[in-house]
Amino acid sequence: MGGTDQVRGIRRLPAADNAGDTRNHLPVEAVINLDQGDPTMYEAFWRKLEYECTFVIKGYESLSYFSNPKNPCWFLEPKLEESIKSLHGAVGNAETDGYSIVVGTGSSQLLQAVLYAVTSRDQTNPINVVSAAPYYSTYMEITELVRSGLYKWAGDAHEFDRDEPYVEVVTSPNNPNGVIRGAVVNREGGILVHDLAYYWPQYTPITSSLDFDIMLFTASKCTGHAGSRIGWALVKDKEVAKRMTKFMEVSTIGVSKESQLRVAKILQVVADRCKRFGSPEGDDFFEFGKSVLTKRWEMLREAVKKTNMFTLPKYPLQHCTYTGDVTQAHPAFAWIGCNDGMEDCEKLFRNHKVLTRGGRKFGSDPGFVRVSMVGREEEFIVFIERLASMKQMVNTNGDDAAANEKGNLA
Amino acid sequence: MGGTDQVRGIRRLPAADNAGDTRNHLPVEAVINLDQGDPTMYEAFWRKLEYECTFVIKGYESLSYFSNPKNPCWFLEPKLEESIKSLHGAVGNAETDGYSIVVGTGSSQLLQAVLYAVTSRDQTNPINVVSAAPYYSTYMEITELVRSGLYKWAGDAHEFDRDEPYVEVVTSPNNPNGVIRGAVVNREGGILVHDLAYYWPQYTPITSSLDFDIMLFTASKCTGHAGSRIGWALVKDKEVAKRMTKFMEVSTIGVSKESQLRVAKILQVVADRCKRFGSPEGDDFFEFGKSVLTKRWEMLREAVKKTNMFTLPKYPLQHCTYTGDVTQAHPAFAWIGCNDGMEDCEKLFRNHKVLTRGGRKFGSDPGFVRVSMVGREEEFIVFIERLASMKQMVNTNGDDAAANEKGNLA
């Protein structure tokens, strides 16, 4: 899950024609918004497949609430179910045999459906929801949104020591810091939800096909179609899947048919062109994503090194079963630590007209910020340029020129 | 809002080619599901406009979370906003000048957004949510879904006598019984939400352009595009609209772009072909809907009259500012009362393989059922045939042949 905050007052940029040299569009004083993980980086790839991926629906199609009344998840389009299975099979990142698939309006809604599904109206106290800090800032917002009596936010899983029932959200790779994670609390009766939004080959080496009880994915981070609001859950327990479906039924009476059908088409295109099936060079979506992110991470590490002001996580080299390469992670977000003495890293960036999300929102230190790596090329380049200019300005002002590496966050 | 329940085990029918003679498709023993208000009746109209209403989106379009960052409702597509305004202007059923528009994943989600927006995290007790019985069965489900500490279901507005803050949902025309309604509690400080899902010319005479504080509409019931899950709220208070937007942001990070853009196109087609602008015969969507529903209501009233077993609401004749005619309502649901002695009307229909929604779910009497009038033609015809057969069977069995009219529910 990527999340988004209010963006009032922020000037948006015209769509780039490609991910290449479009800097000229951007005024020198433009505010660069890297707060949200808006995955517009992928536009360039999808422009190349204009015809294969065009989705057409006639005025009389999909009027009904129902997609497949034979499926307990009666609003799931059969084509989407099929292409989700194809894609996981092609990538090898998650098992689907024996799982129920529940579709959601993004994976945020699916997390709420899980919380509803694993709790009971009869329980006396709300169940604790935890996640290891730094955690995705939206988990807390979701859990606390309407002050539910079924569940409550209990913060950092590392600090959870109550002898009470709990749900732990395990985000792997983690948002914000890209780290591969496992459960932290590990107590009997705990319920685990694996948010695997970023467990795709462009972001991290795929090391095994996962088979956890509840796994969440989203089109936003897989293919970049954030505007479609399509997430899916792979759920082992049929009763949990049914209760999740009930939540979606009351909450939104299902999920947009147009989005489901379009995403079905796109996921199938991605699955059919996977390199492991001998697809021609340039056709593999994940190769494209990985190559852009690899380049961006190199530029970022280079700039950070020169400034001597910031730290970045390091990721281990691992064999990726999808690409066949030994590679490190190139996450969708950079988790940037400011060196000692700079207390509010978000403010520092804001002063340079770069919007980031400060560490406190992730249950962490304000000396960190999360920066989106998946936005438009022109914005990313300006961000890198400003990183360099920050060095000069800070050095000139003598604010902080210390250069202590904060160590390996991974 | 129409709502839907589980439909496991119910055989669905193939799509009819038109709303005409397609009875042959339906096995004699087929279960007819008229529980949900699935608006498939409108397929026939949209088939005629195949080319005007075809929606096309390319693979690279609408990747971003954002639709219009200048709008407080940053995920609302400008084209949808425009066509919503056009349509209300053309129909004359609601004011839009000075209103904020908030889009939702159906109007169910918008009601949740309203409840979030008008309550406060600091309040000691949850606010009471009421609606006059018979009320739309989903309001209770929505309000109680996650045992919110912000709001709680307090039942029938007629019986609400506590001196406490409250939200009253006013559904007009009412679901299930098609009656035009106003607020019931009328106490100072009460918050009114007007659910106007059915305030369109095919269902009821349009008598004025409404200008309530919070008005909810949905494409499901306006044009029949229930699968798109698009609802909209017209909201007078900008701060309420902003808080509703915040709810949508956390709950689902916005609303499907594909659905918004497709519904925008369809609403604009409807607006452009409104009879009042001199559109040729047969092009007016509302005229089509009204003519089908008028015919169905005539068939239903005729069948009910012959059985001597049931009652139907009567609706006053009123001048419709849209059509210019003096006409009565032809609601999307029939609220059928069973005559004295038949205690469980839903069961009676179920025994004849017709699924309806029993009165108890609407906070009313089990001697009533709600029956969808907006389904496929072939199903409606079988329903009417079974009504007749019910008479014979019940008469033969001597269960109940009394014929007391229950009076005018309107």
Side-chain angles (χ1 to χ4, degrees):
Chain A
M1 290 193 269
T4 177
D5 281 339
Q6 286 295 4
V7 289
R8 282 191 285 281
I10 307 306
R11 197 184 162 288
R12 297 297 297 172
L13 303 155
D17 289 328
N18 55 57
D21 184 19
T22 50
R23 266 183 285 177
N24 317 354
H25 297 172
L26 213 53
V28 177
E29 288 298 299
V31 171
I32 303 296
N33 185 356
L34 303 175
D35 177 355
Q36 294 86 27
D38 204 24
T40 43
M41 171 189 110
Y42 296 108
E43 255 186 42
F45 182 85
W46 295 116
R47 276 184 190 274
K48 288 192 302 175
L49 296 184
E50 181 169 336
Y51 297 103
E52 292 88 334
C53 294
T54 295
F55 171 68
V56 178
I57 184 167
K58 291 174 179 168
Y60 60 83
E61 291 176 322
S62 295
L63 266 74
S64 173
Y65 289 103
F66 300 97
S67 296
N68 181 10
K70 288 178 195 156
N71 190 330
C73 186
W74 52 265
F75 48 79
L76 170 60
E77 285 291 327
K79 279 184 188 167
L80 181 60
E81 183 173 15
E82 200 179 306
S83 63
I84 287 169
K85 287 179 181 173
S86 292
L87 185 61
H88 285 302
V91 173
N93 62 340
E95 295 300 303
T96 56
D97 277 2
Y99 281 84
S100 301
I101 297 179
V102 182
V103 63
T105 311
S107 55
S108 299
Q109 194 188 23
L110 287 168
L111 179 58
Q112 294 160 69
V114 169
L115 296 180
Y116 171 83
V118 301
T119 53
S120 153
R121 285 197 60 77
D122 304 327
Q123 69 195 30
T124 322
N125 297 311
I127 199 168
N128 298 285
V129 180
V130 299
S131 189
Y135 44 71
Y136 175 39
S137 49
T138 295
Y139 297 148
M140 185 177 72
E141 286 191 289
I142 284 175
T143 309
E144 297 197 329
L145 185 62
V146 295
R147 273 177 42 192
S148 171
L150 303 179
Y151 45 80
K152 68 171 186 224
W153 179 245
D156 187 356
H158 292 294
E159 294 180 10
F160 182 70
D161 54 9
R162 275 171 267 166
D163 188 21
E164 291 173 358
Y166 69 95
V167 174
E168 180 177 349
V169 189
V170 181
T171 321
S172 184
N174 190 38
N175 173 357
N177 66 0
V179 172
I180 296 293
R181 304 211 297 189
V184 163
V185 183
N186 294 315
R187 210 176 299 154
E188 207 173 328
I191 293 159
L192 298 182
V193 185
H194 280 81
D195 183 345
L196 304 175
Y198 302 96
Y199 192 56
W200 295 102
Q202 71 268 52
Y203 302 120
T204 199
I206 302 302
T207 54
S208 67
S209 187
L210 302 178
D211 60 354
F212 296 112
D213 287 353
I214 303 171
M215 302 188 278
L216 305 183
F217 291 92
T218 167
S220 305
K221 305 311 175 184
C222 172
T223 68
H225 290 83
S228 306
R229 314 306 313 121
I230 293 292
W232 62 93
L234 304 179
V235 184
K236 231 178 226 172
D237 184 326
K238 286 190 180 8
E239 287 310 310
V240 170
K242 278 183 194 168
R243 281 181 57 81
M244 288 176 69
T245 300
K246 180 69 192 173
F247 177 89
M248 314 294 291
E249 183 182 312
V250 176
S251 165
T252 53
I253 320 186
V255 175
S256 159
K257 303 279 179 280
E258 293 88 344
S259 289
Q260 287 192 62
L261 292 169
R262 180 178 181 227
V263 167
K265 184 165 194 172
I266 284 164
L267 295 188
Q268 197 61 56
V269 165
V270 172
D272 291 346
R273 289 164 173 257
C274 275
K275 192 187 174 186
R276 47 158 62 181
F277 298 118
S279 193
E281 196 69 33
D283 269 14
D284 183 311
F285 171 76
F286 298 113
E287 290 285 351
F288 166 85
K290 191 183 160 195
S291 103
V292 175
L293 284 167
T294 302
K295 198 188 82 193
R296 288 188 180 186
W297 271 93
E298 278 167 9
M299 288 169 72
L300 177 63
R301 289 194 188 277
E302 189 67 24
V304 160
K305 200 173 169 188
K306 280 185 189 158
T307 64
N308 254 352
M309 285 171 62
F310 304 106
T311 60
L312 284 172
K314 288 170 190 157
Y315 302 101
L317 286 169
Q318 286 184 292
H319 177 256
C320 176
T321 56
Y322 178 76
T323 60
D325 300 335
V326 173
T327 178
Q328 60 175 307
H330 304 100
F333 296 106
W335 183 238
I336 302 180
C338 291
N339 283 341
D340 300 338
M342 290 184 285
E343 278 175 13
D344 188 338
C345 201
E346 183 182 335
K347 192 177 162 194
L348 175 71
F349 279 94
R350 202 185 320 118
N351 289 343
H352 291 79
K353 295 199 190 324
V354 176
L355 302 186
T356 65
R357 195 173 295 184
R360 245 193 217 110
K361 287 192 179 148
F362 302 91
S364 181
D365 195 301
F368 287 90
V369 289
R370 191 193 75 171
V371 173
S372 169
M373 297 291 285
V374 293
R376 298 188 198 288
E377 185 77 357
E378 52 182 358
E379 292 178 298
F380 183 76
I381 287 168
V382 172
F383 161 63
I384 294 293
E385 287 171 354
R386 290 196 189 160
L387 258 186
S389 80
M390 282 166 73
K391 183 199 172 203
Q392 291 157 12
M393 287 177 65
V394 176
N395 280 349
T396 308
N397 298 339
D399 282 352
D400 195 297
N404 304 319
E405 278 272 327
K406 270 196 178 168
N408 185 353
L409 294 173
Chain B
M1 290 192 272
T4 179
D5 281 338
Q6 284 297 4
V7 288
R8 281 190 285 282
I10 308 305
R11 197 184 161 288
R12 297 297 297 172
L13 303 156
D17 289 327
N18 56 56
D21 183 20
T22 51
R23 267 186 283 177
N24 317 353
H25 296 174
L26 214 52
V28 177
E29 289 298 300
V31 171
I32 304 295
N33 185 356
L34 302 175
D35 176 356
Q36 295 87 28
D38 204 24
T40 43
M41 170 187 111
Y42 296 109
E43 256 186 42
F45 182 85
W46 295 117
R47 275 182 191 274
K48 289 192 302 177
L49 296 184
E50 181 169 337
Y51 297 104
E52 294 88 334
C53 293
T54 295
F55 171 67
V56 178
I57 184 166
K58 291 175 179 167
Y60 60 83
E61 290 176 322
S62 294
L63 266 74
S64 174
Y65 289 103
F66 301 96
S67 295
N68 181 9
K70 287 177 195 157
N71 190 329
C73 186
W74 53 266
F75 49 79
L76 170 59
E77 284 291 327
K79 279 184 188 165
L80 181 61
E81 183 173 16
E82 200 178 305
S83 62
I84 286 169
K85 288 180 180 173
S86 291
L87 185 60
H88 285 301
V91 172
N93 62 339
E95 295 299 302
T96 57
D97 276 2
Y99 281 84
S100 301
I101 297 178
V102 182
V103 63
T105 311
S107 56
S108 299
Q109 195 189 23
L110 288 167
L111 178 58
Q112 294 159 69
V114 169
L115 296 180
Y116 171 84
V118 301
T119 53
S120 152
R121 285 197 61 77
D122 303 328
Q123 71 195 27
T124 322
N125 296 312
I127 198 167
N128 298 284
V129 180
V130 299
S131 188
Y135 44 72
Y136 174 38
S137 49
T138 295
Y139 297 149
M140 185 177 72
E141 286 192 288
I142 284 175
T143 308
E144 297 197 329
L145 185 62
V146 296
R147 273 177 43 193
S148 171
L150 302 179
Y151 45 80
K152 65 170 187 226
W153 179 246
D156 187 356
H158 292 295
E159 294 180 11
F160 181 70
D161 55 8
R162 275 171 266 166
D163 188 21
E164 292 172 357
Y166 70 94
V167 174
E168 181 178 348
V169 189
V170 181
T171 321
S172 184
N174 190 38
N175 173 358
N177 65 0
V179 173
I180 295 292
R181 306 210 296 190
V184 164
V185 183
N186 294 315
R187 210 174 299 154
E188 206 173 328
I191 293 160
L192 297 182
V193 185
H194 280 80
D195 183 346
L196 304 175
Y198 302 96
Y199 192 56
W200 296 103
Q202 70 267 54
Y203 303 120
T204 200
I206 301 302
T207 54
S208 67
S209 186
L210 303 178
D211 61 354
F212 296 112
D213 287 352
I214 303 172
M215 302 188 279
L216 305 183
F217 291 92
T218 167
S220 305
K221 305 309 176 184
C222 173
T223 67
H225 290 83
S228 305
R229 314 306 313 120
I230 292 293
W232 62 94
L234 304 179
V235 184
K236 229 176 226 172
D237 183 328
K238 285 190 182 5
E239 287 309 310
V240 170
K242 276 183 195 169
R243 282 179 56 82
M244 288 176 69
T245 300
K246 179 69 191 173
F247 177 89
M248 313 295 289
E249 184 182 311
V250 177
S251 165
T252 53
I253 320 184
V255 175
S256 158
K257 303 277 178 284
E258 293 87 346
S259 289
Q260 287 193 62
L261 292 168
R262 179 176 181 226
V263 167
K265 185 164 193 173
I266 284 165
L267 296 187
Q268 197 60 56
V269 165
V270 172
D272 291 345
R273 289 163 173 258
C274 275
K275 192 185 175 188
R276 48 158 60 180
F277 298 118
S279 192
E281 196 71 31
D283 269 14
D284 183 311
F285 170 77
F286 299 114
E287 290 286 351
F288 165 85
K290 191 183 160 194
S291 102
V292 175
L293 284 166
T294 301
K295 198 189 82 195
R296 289 188 179 186
W297 271 93
E298 279 166 8
M299 289 169 72
L300 177 64
R301 288 193 188 278
E302 189 67 23
V304 161
K305 200 173 169 188
K306 281 185 188 158
T307 64
N308 253 352
M309 284 170 62
F310 305 106
T311 60
L312 285 172
K314 288 170 189 154
Y315 302 101
L317 285 168
Q318 287 184 291
H319 177 255
C320 175
T321 55
Y322 178 77
T323 61
D325 300 336
V326 173
T327 178
Q328 60 175 307
H330 304 100
F333 296 105
W335 182 238
I336 302 181
C338 291
N339 283 343
D340 299 338
M342 290 184 285
E343 279 175 13
D344 189 338
C345 202
E346 183 182 335
K347 194 177 162 194
L348 177 69
F349 279 94
R350 204 186 318 120
N351 288 344
H352 292 78
K353 296 199 190 323
V354 175
L355 302 186
T356 64
R357 195 173 296 185
R360 245 193 218 112
K361 287 193 181 149
F362 302 92
S364 183
D365 196 301
F368 286 90
V369 289
R370 190 194 74 171
V371 174
S372 170
M373 298 291 284
V374 292
R376 298 188 197 288
E377 185 77 359
E378 53 182 358
E379 291 178 297
F380 184 76
I381 287 167
V382 173
F383 162 63
I384 293 293
E385 288 170 355
R386 291 197 188 160
L387 256 186
S389 79
M390 281 167 73
K391 185 197 173 207
Q392 291 157 10
M393 287 177 64
V394 174
N395 280 348
T396 306
N397 298 339
D399 283 351
D400 195 298
N404 304 318
E405 279 272 326
K406 271 195 177 167
N408 185 352
L409 294 174

